[in-house]
Amino acid sequence: VPPQMGPLAASVILLVVSAVRGFPYTELAQWVDSHQEEYVEALRDWVAVESDSSNVLKRPELHRMMEMVAQKLRQMGGTVELVDVGEQELPDGSTLALPKVVTAQFGNDSNKSTVCVYGHVDVQPAKLEDGWATEPYNLTDINGNLYGRGASDNKAPVLAWIHAVQAYQALDVELPVNVKFIIEGMEETGSNGLDAMIVAQRDTFFSEVDYIIISDCGWLSRRPAITYGTRGNCYFYAEVEGPKKDLHSGVYGGAVVEPMVDLIGIMDTLISPSGKILIPGIREAVAPLSDEEWKMYQDIQFDMDNYKDKIGVSQLMYNNKVDLLAHLWRYPTVSIHGIEGAFSDPGTKTVIPAKVTAKFSIRQVPNMDPAAVKKQVTEYLHSVFAKRKSPNKLKVTMVIGAKPWLADTQHVLYEAGKAAVKRVFQMDPDLIREGGTIPVAKFQDVTGKSIVMLPIGGFDDGLHSQNEKISRYNYIEGTKLFIAYLNEVSQIT
């Protein structure tokens, strides 16, 4: 540096030179490294908001969370809107305002591609007494891991995207593509209101969008991953109703046909001990596993023992990697989640509940159709129940019907992802599918745009579980990945 030139001027010249030369990845990455404490503080502020979408009493927190997101994007000079998506009807018939959906836009150059980043800032419920080692809504840094509810799912990834755009702005590097954001607050409870909004904005907000990017997912191992498929979800309530009120088991036990016994009896017919779904028609609808797919699963980095240790079990349903991954990603399963109306408090209570409702779900895979599954499950449970010749009444309802999603790993968006991972992490990514359900299919069906899932969450982040975290490494390097990815997408012709 010549003596008359200060370090700032020198760095500006360096930047200009490298911008002329091409994409200034190194300078952008250095900017991210030097601002990581700021990024951690931003995450701390967001995690402190108890934006639990399942708890109606927390709804004011959710509204506040959406305002914070909008404010952050406004401060960066984005064109920001808080879109009203209506009201939610509660089981008692009353209504409650849904959190507004935040949309934002940076750049509107018609010569550039436009990407739309989807994310959510609502979280699963969490309480210290659930078994957390730290306060769930107080971001706690332990050995480079940032613990807090929503840290990985999905607050840090949303912030990483925002910080990626901010880095370009801070260094006065032109965004290589136009960037839009759509951030919602009801993802954890089925994205209530989002469907109608996507339909309403198909020809406005989404009209010039070329690609949709979702980062609401995680890696499978220490190797970075790109996700090309998710399972859908059909969620059911099965309600058995008997006497008009709860009864004492000593006084009435043996005289009445108990709803709980009926309910447990029919639930036991959904799936075998070996994991085979017993509902007719479901297994027949599943797309067969191709040789090529089998080979892809074979090459994926996945540690079975680590996986067992992480969830704390001595045995899994399958004892080889390919079978296990296939049953996590591309085969359906039935899970029974709980029984409402049953006695579940500590202690002993000799009660015969008058009405009990089982909650269970079936994860959807190609080529299953939620409407067909609804019919199959309803008819099957009624037929099983009829054989019991019970005087009680059965009612089956499907409350969520989300489709699965599958992308082509040879698509240009995935090629761009592979190149970005290679630049940031100096390795090829694993191409993986996701067992969970994300509203990807909604975007696909309505907008017709190509979608990529680009995760930065770690394989051991504990989403939906106690002690959820994101590592500093994934948060910071993930921000660099998003910076690199925007550049790679701009190269698509």
Side-chain angles (χ1 to χ4, degrees):
V1 179
Q4 70 275 23
M5 191 189 288
L8 184 65
S11 67
V12 169
I13 284 175
L14 177 71
L15 194 60
V16 169
V17 169
S18 64
V20 169
R21 200 180 59 230
F23 171 51
Y25 173 71
T26 308
E27 291 87 336
L28 288 159
Q30 284 167 350
W31 173 268
V32 170
D33 283 333
S34 63
H35 287 77
Q36 57 173 297
E37 290 315 316
E38 219 173 280
Y39 300 159
V40 171
E41 285 313 306
L43 183 59
R44 188 183 311 284
D45 290 344
W46 280 23
V47 165
V49 183
E50 295 188 38
S51 50
D52 172 359
S53 53
S54 67
N55 183 347
V56 295
L57 301 175
K58 299 283 182 196
R59 192 53 56 89
E61 286 286 271
L62 206 42
H63 292 312
R64 183 162 78 91
M65 187 73 244
M66 303 322 293
E67 282 290 348
M68 284 170 69
V69 175
Q71 192 50 28
K72 191 168 181 75
L73 292 162
R74 273 193 209 108
Q75 284 167 348
M76 291 161 58
T79 307
V80 180
E81 268 185 67
L82 280 156
V83 182
D84 191 338
V85 289
E87 294 190 317
Q88 175 182 7
E89 191 173 331
L90 302 178
D92 65 3
S94 65
T95 58
L96 184 67
L98 286 165
K100 290 184 167 69
V101 173
V102 177
T103 65
Q105 178 163 359
F106 295 87
N108 56 359
D109 183 338
S110 56
N111 297 316
K112 293 178 182 175
S113 296
T114 300
V115 302
C116 176
V117 174
Y118 162 84
H120 69 91
V121 286
D122 61 315
V123 300
Q124 285 280 322
K127 296 198 293 281
L128 187 62
E129 54 269 30
D130 293 341
W132 281 71
T134 59
E135 280 291 348
Y137 295 103
N138 180 11
L139 193 74
T140 310
D141 189 344
I142 303 170
N143 298 333
N145 286 323
L146 305 164
Y147 291 91
R149 174 54 92 222
S152 184
D153 183 15
N154 182 228
K155 289 178 177 179
V158 171
L159 279 166
W161 271 114
I162 292 172
H163 295 147
V165 171
Q166 240 177 355
Y168 276 98
Q169 291 179 330
L171 293 182
D172 228 358
V173 177
E174 194 181 325
L175 275 173
V177 292
N178 305 312
V179 181
K180 289 189 166 192
F181 285 93
I182 178 166
I183 312 294
E184 68 153 322
M186 290 296 286
E187 192 275 340
E188 298 293 3
T189 53
S191 296
N192 203 330
L194 189 68
D195 275 19
M197 183 206 154
I198 296 170
V199 171
Q201 304 241 3
R202 181 180 58 196
D203 302 324
T204 51
F205 182 80
F206 290 105
S207 64
E208 70 272 31
V209 168
D210 297 293
Y211 311 115
I212 294 171
I213 312 172
I214 297 176
S215 299
D216 185 15
C217 41
W219 301 351
L220 188 65
S221 64
R222 298 204 183 279
R223 177 186 287 274
I226 305 178
T227 308
Y228 67 96
T230 61
R231 290 195 289 194
N233 191 14
C234 285
Y235 201 109
F236 291 89
Y237 292 168
E239 173 190 292
V240 178
E241 189 171 3
K244 66 180 179 188
K245 59 182 181 183
D246 288 357
L247 302 173
H248 184 305
S249 69
V251 179
Y252 297 98
V256 295
V257 179
E258 301 187 13
M260 181 78 95
V261 176
D262 276 344
L263 188 67
I264 287 171
I266 65 171
M267 285 296 101
D268 191 41
T269 68
L270 292 172
I271 190 163
S272 78
S274 66
K276 184 171 144 187
I277 293 179
L278 304 174
I279 304 153
I282 287 191
R283 292 203 318 280
E284 292 77 357
V286 176
L289 180 73
S290 68
D291 292 346
E292 188 189 344
E293 211 178 340
W294 187 91
K295 172 82 176 72
M296 272 175 78
Y297 287 14
Q298 194 64 42
D299 294 341
I300 285 169
Q301 197 178 93
F302 181 71
D303 185 329
M304 297 274 288
D305 292 329
N306 191 324
Y307 186 76
K308 272 196 296 206
D309 289 348
K310 186 179 83 177
I311 50 184
V313 296
S314 58
Q315 185 188 329
L316 296 163
M317 200 72 105
Y318 306 94
N319 54 19
N320 73 72
K321 176 176 80 175
V322 174
D323 278 345
L324 190 80
L325 292 177
H327 283 87
L328 275 176
W329 294 345
R330 56 112 49 237
Y331 289 118
T333 189
V334 169
S335 298
I336 300 173
H337 307 296
I339 299 179
E340 190 178 330
F343 170 62
S344 61
D345 295 325
T348 54
K349 182 183 180 186
T350 50
V351 65
I352 297 170
K355 182 172 87 172
V356 281
T357 306
K359 301 180 180 193
F360 66 95
S361 67
I362 301 177
R363 293 288 166 176
Q364 309 294 288
V365 298
N367 301 314
M368 292 167 70
D369 171 31
V373 171
K374 177 183 178 178
K375 189 170 183 286
Q376 288 160 343
V377 169
T378 306
E379 287 175 0
Y380 176 67
L381 283 182
H382 278 290
S383 74
V384 170
F385 188 69
K387 292 190 185 113
R388 298 182 69 86
K389 299 190 171 21
S390 169
N392 297 324
K393 294 194 289 289
L394 170 67
K395 182 176 154 200
V396 180
T397 44
M398 186 172 90
V399 292
I400 296 174
K403 289 179 172 179
W405 166 77
L406 194 61
D408 171 13
T409 57
Q410 304 305 310
H411 188 280
V412 284
L413 273 186
Y414 283 81
E415 294 303 333
K418 293 169 200 171
V421 167
K422 192 93 171 167
R423 185 191 284 268
V424 179
F425 297 99
Q426 286 80 54
M427 63 176 81
D428 293 316
D430 270 336
L431 293 169
I432 66 170
R433 282 161 78 161
E434 181 81 31
T437 305
I438 294 152
V440 190
K442 292 180 178 149
F443 287 110
Q444 189 101 62
D445 290 353
V446 177
T447 67
K449 309 295 183 182
S450 300
I451 297 175
V452 65
M453 289 185 69
L454 190 62
I456 61 167
F459 70 97
D460 55 354
D461 281 355
L463 313 187
H464 293 210
S465 188
Q466 294 89 341
N467 306 318
E468 179 186 344
K469 61 89 181 162
I470 190 161
S471 69
R472 265 177 184 261
Y473 175 79
N474 282 58
Y475 185 27
I476 302 306
E477 299 306 306
T479 305
K480 296 175 191 173
L481 176 65
F482 294 161
I483 286 170
Y485 190 65
L486 292 177
N487 178 65
E488 292 297 338
V489 171
S490 74
Q491 309 298 309
I492 296 173
T493 49

